[in-house]
Amino acid sequence: GAVVSQHPSWVICKSGTSVKIECRSLDFQATTMFWYRQFPKQSLMLMATSNEGSKATYEQGVEKDKFLINHASLTLSTLTVTSAHPEDSSFYICSASRGQGVLNTEAFFGQGTRLTVV
Amino acid sequence: AQTVTQSQPEMSVQEAETVTLSCTYDTSESNYYLFWYKQPPSRQMILVIRQEAYKQQNATENRFSVNFQKAAKSFSLKISDSQLGDTAMYFCALKNTGTASKLTFGTGTRLQVTL
């Protein structure tokens, strides 16, 4: 199966600093990647859809200036949490799909990043 | 807007027994995909099984099978011969057939397999 690698697995940062999370598709090209946030014992909440070479599409209620998404290549998308605060502490997960049509039916997920802001 | 509902927050099953997890959904699309994902304590999302809405035959993957009732918009997951390693959160998800369409997840069911 296709592999999506997310880095780092966990990070602790001070309040007010910025943190960058990387999501890489290792053995396929991903035109579209998705960023999710998951609170403890809750479901995945889609934050934004990341499109290679264009601006990300954010879900309602997600601050685009706080959660900066860059999808500069077909294998890499990054999520930067700017001026992080304790309430941004969460588990962040990325996913990617291969190609289009029937190849796009399955989403492959990264391992997730646990962010703790102190 | 599409929604996915999982009405069982937690379930428990004994090892080797069979358990069924419920999922209902709503969408205005005629063609779509349905998924069950497993999230073990490691929190890595793992695809368990997939169903194309245009296929009437229920999908099966070894010990995992689904009961897909399109008219009722129901998509339950049956786990046979439960194993301790099946202990995890299970999420039902819906995806339209567009090239960049997103997954809509249910709230999840926490399954505990006991000895």
Side-chain angles (χ1 to χ4, degrees):
Chain A
V3 178
V4 174
S5 177
Q6 191 172 337
H7 179 80
S9 300
W10 59 271
V11 58
I12 300 173
C13 71
K14 291 184 177 180
S15 187
T17 63
S18 296
V19 174
K20 180 184 286 187
I21 302 170
E22 292 187 348
C23 180
R24 294 182 184 271
S25 55
L26 297 186
D27 51 359
F28 67 99
Q29 293 184 331
T31 306
T32 304
M33 290 185 175
F34 301 89
W35 287 95
Y36 297 86
R37 182 173 180 175
Q38 186 180 30
F39 291 104
K41 298 186 179 182
Q42 294 189 23
S43 188
L44 281 69
M45 180 190 76
L46 180 66
M47 299 175 65
T49 302
S50 171
N51 302 296
E52 186 268 336
S54 64
K55 291 183 179 180
T57 302
Y58 290 82
E59 295 298 302
Q60 191 173 8
V62 178
E63 299 177 60
K64 60 181 181 181
D65 293 330
K66 180 165 190 62
F67 299 100
L68 299 179
I69 291 172
N70 184 278
H71 195 155
S73 77
L74 286 172
T75 59
L76 174 65
S77 176
T78 60
L79 167 67
T80 301
V81 183
T82 62
S83 185
H85 290 283
E87 57 264 31
D88 298 324
S89 297
S90 191
F91 192 69
Y92 294 87
I93 308 175
C94 71
S95 76
S97 296
R98 293 182 294 188
Q100 299 184 4
V102 67
L103 292 177
N104 193 42
T105 59
E106 182 175 350
F108 300 94
F109 287 83
Q111 307 96 312
T113 298
R114 181 179 299 282
L115 170 64
T116 302
V117 184
V118 298
Chain B
Q2 51 193 31
T3 60
V4 177
T5 302
Q6 293 178 251
S7 59
Q8 304 154 314
E10 295 184 0
M11 293 196 71
S12 181
V13 63
Q14 285 190 324
E15 198 177 21
E17 296 296 309
T18 296
V19 65
T20 299
L21 308 184
S22 300
C23 172
T24 59
Y25 61 92
D26 191 23
T27 179
S28 57
E29 301 290 327
S30 59
N31 199 17
Y32 46 87
Y33 300 97
L34 292 161
F35 306 86
W36 278 97
Y37 281 92
K38 169 184 177 181
Q39 189 180 41
S42 68
R43 303 192 77 170
Q44 172 73 56
M45 295 290 284
I46 302 166
L47 178 65
V48 175
I49 200 165
R50 169 178 55 209
Q51 174 81 42
E52 289 92 342
Y54 63 87
K55 289 187 177 179
Q56 293 186 342
Q57 186 173 7
N58 289 325
T60 61
E61 285 287 342
N62 300 313
R63 298 183 294 109
F64 300 89
S65 62
V66 298
N67 183 2
F68 174 47
Q69 301 291 327
K70 190 172 184 179
K73 294 184 177 177
S74 171
F75 183 62
S76 61
L77 174 69
K78 185 171 79 172
I79 306 174
S80 303
D81 186 25
S82 297
Q83 301 175 358
L84 295 177
D86 295 333
T87 293
M89 279 288 289
Y90 286 82
F91 293 99
C92 179
L94 167 69
K95 177 182 170 71
N96 291 330
T97 55
T99 56
S101 61
K102 57 191 179 184
L103 280 166
T104 299
F105 286 93
T107 50
T109 296
R110 182 173 301 278
L111 177 67
Q112 180 72 46
V113 180
T114 60
L115 291 171

